[in-house]
Amino acid sequence: MNHDELNHWSKRAADWAQAYHAGLRERPVRAQTRLGETAAKLPALAPEKAEPMEQIFADFEAIVPGATTHWQHPRFFAYFPANASPASMLAEQLANAIAGQAMLWQTAPAANEIEAVMINWLRAALGLADDFTGTIHDSATTATLSAILTMRERTLDWKGNTQGLSALPRLRIYASGETHSSIDKSVRIAGIGQDNLVKIPTNADHAMDTQALDAAITNDLAAGFLPCGVVACVGGTSIGASDDIAATIAVAKSHGLYTHVDAAWAGSAMICPEYRHLWDGINAADSLVFNPHKWLGAQFDCAVQFLKNPTEQINTLGLRPEYLNTLGQDEVTNYNEWTVPLGRRFRALKLWFTLRAYGLEGLRTRIRNHINWGRECHDIISEMDDFTITTAPAFSLFTFRYKDSDAATQDLLARINDDGRIYLTQTRHAGQFVIRMQVGQFDCTREDVMMVPCVLKDLTGGQ
Ligand code: PLP
C-alpha cells in the first residue's frame, strides 16, 4: 500500500466510520460473541504474499464490528465512558498522519507547545490555581504511578532510585478502599508493596475517615515505618465516592506527606463550577489526575496530571543520556522526563480540537445533562417494585440491586447485557453484588437514558 492508496482507503474508512456511528443504536451495546470466536476466523500464520486491501477491508467489516463492544454507543452505561467526540477522532487522524514521536521538544515542537497550552486551558477550565502545571499521560494509571514514585523518592531524598529499597524501613502509602485498583498496582510496581498500602476506613459519606488517617500515620511513625504519601479520590470507580479533599490534605501535610488526588472520571465535571465544592481544597494537592478521555470527549488515551512542583517528578523519572540532550537548549521542557515511557504520542491535538469544536459551554451542557438524566433515571428505578437503590447518585453514577439478592441481581445483569439494548456492569458494595449505572456517553440523549428503566421493566415484568 502506498500513500495514494492510503488516500483512497482513508476516504473509504471515513465513509465506513460515518455509517458505523449512524447505525450504533441498532447494534447490541456489548459484543454478543463467544470466547475464541474471532481468533478462530483468522489464519494461524501471517501471509507470505501481500493481500489486496479490498479483501483486508472486507474481512474487517465481516469480523470486527460484530465482535466489538461499542464504547461510543449512546446507551453505554457500563464502567466509565471512553468518549471520542467526532472532533477528537479527526485530531487523532491528523496525529496519526504526522505519526511523530513527542519525547523531546525538538522531536515535536508543535506537540510540546500545544500540550503546555492545553494544560493551561484545562487548569483554568477546572478552576484550579495558577501554580499548577502539568503534562499528558496515556492513562491515569501512569499518572498515579508517577505520583507514587515521586512520593517514594521525595521521602528518600531521591536515593531509592540509585540505592534501591532493600536496606530501608518499610514505606507506607495511605488511601481509602474506594480508590481505584491503579493505586494498588502502582504501589506494587513502585516496590513499596501491597501490604504497605494502608486502606483507611471510610465514614458514612464513603469518604476517608481523616481521624483514622491521622492515627494510622502516627502509629506507623511510632512503629518505625516511613510514611510517604496519601492518595485521595474524587468520584471513585465503584460508587463514585469522594474524599473530603481539604481535610485529607490537611492531615497529610501535617505529617509532611505528598498528596495525589485521583479524579480520573469526575475531574471533567469540574468544568461546571457547581460541582467544585466536591473537591474543595484541591489547590493544596501536590498532584492530581483526570482523564479527558473519560468524560470530556478527548478520545482515549488522554490523562492529564497537574503538578505543583514538577521538579520533584522530573527528579524522580527524568533521565538524560547524551542522545536525548537538546544541544544548546538545556532549559527546554522535555515531557518524557515527567513520565514513565520515553516515547509519547501527540495527545494534545485532540484536546485542542475538542475544546474548540464544542467550547467549554457545550461540554458543560453535556455533563449537566448526563448528571440530570442519571438522577431522573435513579428516581424512576427507586420507585420500581423489587428494585433497591444501594448508593445514591454521585455525579451521574448510582447503584441498585434486584430482589435484595446477589443471585437475582447477577442473573438480571446477565439478561440485560444479553438483551443488548443497554450495557450495565456490576460492583460489590458493602459486601453485596450491585448493578452500577453511569451516564456519560458523549452522544447519549434523554431517551437513551430512559431506555434503562424500560429494559428493566421488560425483563422483570415489573411496574
Ligand atoms: N482512577 C479511576 C477513578 C478510574 O475509574 C480508572 C478507570 O476507570 C482509573 C483510575 C484508571 O484509568 P486508566 O485506564 O486511565 O489507567
Side-chain angles (χ1 to χ4, degrees):
M1 187 177 198
N2 59 32
H3 286 283
D4 289 339
E5 289 165 319
L6 174 62
N7 179 277
H8 166 79
W9 285 101
S10 296
K11 288 173 182 157
R12 274 280 296 269
D15 289 343
W16 182 88
Q18 204 267 342
Y20 169 75
H21 285 278
L24 271 176
R25 280 192 179 81
E26 314 317 318
R27 295 180 183 269
V29 193
R30 194 205 57 191
Q32 307 289 325
T33 184
R34 285 188 307 282
L35 185 63
E37 211 172 1
T38 301
K41 292 179 183 162
L42 270 53
L45 297 174
E48 290 293 338
K49 297 210 181 313
E51 296 184 50
M53 188 48 64
E54 197 69 56
Q55 187 57 51
I56 300 170
F57 204 93
D59 286 346
F60 162 77
E61 287 186 291
I63 295 173
V64 176
T68 290
T69 294
H70 304 289
W71 283 72
Q72 305 314 316
H73 195 300
R75 295 194 297 271
F76 182 101
F77 304 115
Y79 307 102
F80 283 138
N83 277 333
S85 67
S88 85
M89 289 187 198
L90 181 62
E92 281 288 72
Q93 285 175 21
L94 298 174
N96 284 342
I98 293 172
Q101 211 273 55
M103 61 186 182
L104 303 173
W105 174 85
Q106 71 176 10
T107 64
N112 178 295
E113 294 185 17
I114 294 174
E115 178 161 343
V117 175
M118 289 307 103
I119 294 293
N120 290 345
W121 283 16
L122 287 171
R123 179 183 60 211
L126 300 181
L128 294 171
D130 287 349
D131 58 353
F132 276 112
T133 181
T135 190
I136 308 176
H137 298 271
D138 54 354
S139 67
T141 303
T142 306
T144 294
L145 173 61
S146 304
I148 285 181
L149 289 166
T150 303
M151 290 176 189
R152 185 192 81 184
E153 286 307 299
R154 196 175 86 141
T155 307
L156 300 177
D157 199 20
W158 286 274
K159 294 199 175 72
N161 273 344
T162 47
Q163 297 173 8
L165 308 181
S166 55
L168 295 168
R170 282 164 66 174
L171 299 161
R172 294 288 230 199
I173 305 275
Y174 307 84
S176 91
E178 293 296 334
T179 51
H180 186 259
S181 55
S182 54
I183 287 81
D184 303 58
K185 187 183 259 190
S186 295
V187 296
R188 290 172 178 217
I189 299 172
I192 293 169
Q194 177 83 58
D195 291 351
N196 295 311
L197 173 60
V198 182
K199 294 281 174 84
I200 305 296
T202 49
N203 60 26
D205 295 331
H206 311 300
M208 200 186 314
D209 175 340
T210 48
Q211 282 185 348
L213 171 66
D214 194 34
I217 298 170
T218 305
N219 292 341
D220 277 355
L221 284 166
F225 291 105
L226 258 184
C228 38
V230 177
V231 181
C233 70
V234 177
T237 315
S238 181
I239 58 162
S242 293
D243 292 323
D244 178 338
I245 297 301
T248 304
I249 293 180
V251 171
K253 298 239 172 205
S254 73
H255 293 279
L257 303 190
Y258 192 94
T259 52
H260 172 66
V261 177
D262 178 2
W265 164 63
S268 294
M270 302 308 179
I271 62 169
C272 306
E274 67 269 30
Y275 304 121
R276 290 187 194 150
H277 65 279
L278 291 166
W279 71 2
D280 263 351
I282 192 71
N283 286 324
D286 293 302
S287 164
L288 152 71
V289 64
F290 94 103
N291 282 355
H293 73 229
K294 282 189 162 58
W295 208 356
L296 212 57
Q299 153 149 28
F300 188 84
D301 52 0
C302 186
V304 169
Q305 184 189 17
F306 291 103
L307 289 160
K308 266 297 160 51
N309 180 358
T311 306
E312 293 179 332
Q313 192 154 307
I314 293 167
N315 287 345
T316 303
L317 302 176
L319 277 179
R320 209 181 277 191
E322 179 54 37
Y323 87 102
L324 293 177
N325 276 330
T326 306
L327 297 180
Q329 272 184 305
D330 283 348
E331 78 292 353
V332 84
T333 297
N334 292 317
Y335 284 118
N336 83 79
E337 296 174 358
W338 300 45
T339 185
V340 177
L342 172 63
R344 313 180 72 246
R345 300 181 61 243
F346 184 1
R347 298 192 181 91
L349 194 67
K350 56 197 167 194
L351 278 170
W352 194 38
F353 274 47
T354 300
L355 292 170
R356 295 178 66 190
Y358 305 95
L360 289 172
E361 261 318 316
L363 296 169
R364 283 188 198 107
T365 301
R366 278 187 158 79
I367 286 177
R368 286 177 179 139
N369 282 341
H370 296 159
I371 291 176
N372 290 336
W373 297 335
R375 289 183 182 178
E376 202 179 332
C377 186
H378 156 274
D379 292 349
I380 298 172
I381 295 173
S382 70
E383 297 290 320
M384 284 168 51
D385 290 346
D386 296 327
F387 285 88
T388 321
I389 299 293
T390 37
T391 57
F395 301 93
S396 65
L397 165 65
F398 64 96
T399 63
F400 60 92
R401 193 167 149 80
Y402 182 56
K403 291 195 166 167
D404 198 19
S405 145
D406 277 10
T409 308
Q410 199 162 339
D411 172 70
L412 176 61
L413 183 63
R415 287 189 290 128
I416 291 167
N417 294 329
D418 288 346
D419 173 89
R421 282 175 286 173
I422 60 173
Y423 184 23
L424 300 174
T425 45
Q426 77 285 348
T427 188
R428 191 161 281 280
H429 178 68
Q432 294 184 325
F433 184 96
V434 300
I435 298 177
R436 65 191 281 295
M437 167 171 179
Q438 64 73 32
V439 181
Q441 209 287 327
F442 205 73
D443 288 328
C444 80
T445 62
R446 184 177 169 279
E447 288 69 47
D448 290 315
V449 180
M450 292 312 136
M451 178 73 86
V452 174
C454 289
V455 170
L456 298 181
K457 282 176 193 163
D458 283 357
L459 296 179
T460 61
Q463 304 294 307

